[in-house]
Amino acid sequence: MANIPADLRYTKDHEYVKRTSDAAVVQVGITDYAQGELGDVVYVDLPKVGAVFASGDVFGTIEAVKAVSELYAPLAGTVTEVNKALEGDPALVNRDPYGAGWMIKLRPKTAAELDQLLSNEAYKKQIG
Amino acid sequence: MLLTERQLEWELTREPAGRSGAANMTIDASLLAEAARAGRSFVRLYRFDPPCLSLGRNEPAAAQYDRAAIARLGLDVVRRPTGGGAVWHEHEVTYAVAASIATFGGLRAAYHAIHARLAAALQTLGVATALAPDRPTARPPDRRGSCFATPVGGEVLVGGRKLIGSAQVREGRAFLQHGSILLAGSQEMIAAVSREPQAASAATTLSKELRRQVTWDEVADAVVRAWGDELTPAALYRRLPPSTALFADPFWTWRR
């Protein structure tokens, strides 16, 4: 059973958004359900700090076993940090998707967009 | 997430003549784009001519393979849009399936469904194929080692050895899965151009299993017969890819 924490927000494409200690910045990664579906992650291709995305833009790709999948920006915003640890240890996404396996930190263009994302209950319903 | 498989109409192309690695990857990528744009579904059966070394999209190729040796041997080399490890394409039927993600659902479901169809096709030729268990007992292949070094869940095996090597990419609402159905030969070329010793290949071939020569047409016919849905001849790429620029570019091939 996948871990879907109540304090995060989700997209239908299996990204999550987590608030950080900086109120203007959120953490983005993929959900526990998504990492389980993908299998062992072997490579994560992430953007550069400063990259600007619209909501739904492709911000990177992830390769697991033999498949490359796109990663979508859950919110419009600017990348303030990328998780360099994934270069050496991409399996962090499998082991700790909501913690050490985070992907990017994003400064959202508008805070209101966050409220439009799925709650944990809505996301759970989607993944069945 | 795992949607029910729908009865679909697939557009089929058969290309026994063979093309370069860059041309083949350009066509596969264009099928993916067309599947994403228009929801069309494609099955393509093809081959490589000249024989070609293909690298996985994210393989650290510059560190792993001897580029000078590849040049010295005059090998065609291309980096695929899909994941996974290196493949030596020589004696094989290469397949590509591009369709909307909703066709088969999740990643593993698609891998299984396509391989089940291919396995059924090969069974009609008399090969006792089986699909690898979903969760492999060993870890999946690390970055070193060819595509055929270790089977992963859902791949087509004969007696525990891998007969088909496949890889996938998902973009937007569509996916491309392509792979090699080995007719004969070996994957030893990969070891020959590798900087470090490679894991022994766990591959087998149709000729080895059936103890006779197996032809490209024979396998292509079997796949078409066993596909299960309606296959209609594709109006061959209504818009042919404008050029092979990306996949012919050494910067892409050796980008990492």
Side-chain angles (χ1 to χ4, degrees), chain B residues 235-256:
Chain B
L236 184 72
Y237 322 120
R238 279 166 202 161
R239 290 178 305 158
L240 265 170
S243 80
T244 59
L246 170 68
F247 292 105
D249 186 348
F251 185 76
W252 164 260
T253 307
W254 297 101
R255 73 191 177 98
R256 65 181 305 261

Side-chain angles (χ1 to χ4, degrees), chain A residues 12-14 33 36-40 42-43 45 61-70 72 91 126-127, chain B residues 1 57-58 82-84 107-108 111 135 139-140 143 147 152 155 162 166-173 256:
Chain A
K12 59 181 177 21
D13 295 312
H14 313 291
Y33 172 80
E37 266 293 295
L38 288 171
D40 297 86
V42 295
Y43 187 75
D45 199 6
T61 60
I62 183 166
E63 179 173 342
V65 194
K66 301 278 176 92
V68 175
S69 305
E70 293 179 320
Y72 302 104
Q126 186 202 294
I127 62 178
Chain B
M1 185 155 177
R57 177 170 176 149
N58 295 315
T82 52
L107 181 65
R108 266 182 261 157
Y111 222 55
R135 281 288 179 193
R139 276 187 62 79
R143 305 308 301 166
C147 172
V152 302
E155 288 192 317
K162 200 161 149 180
S166 301
Q168 213 182 94
V169 61
R170 307 192 141 215
E171 286 182 11
R173 299 287 157 215
R256 65 181 305 261

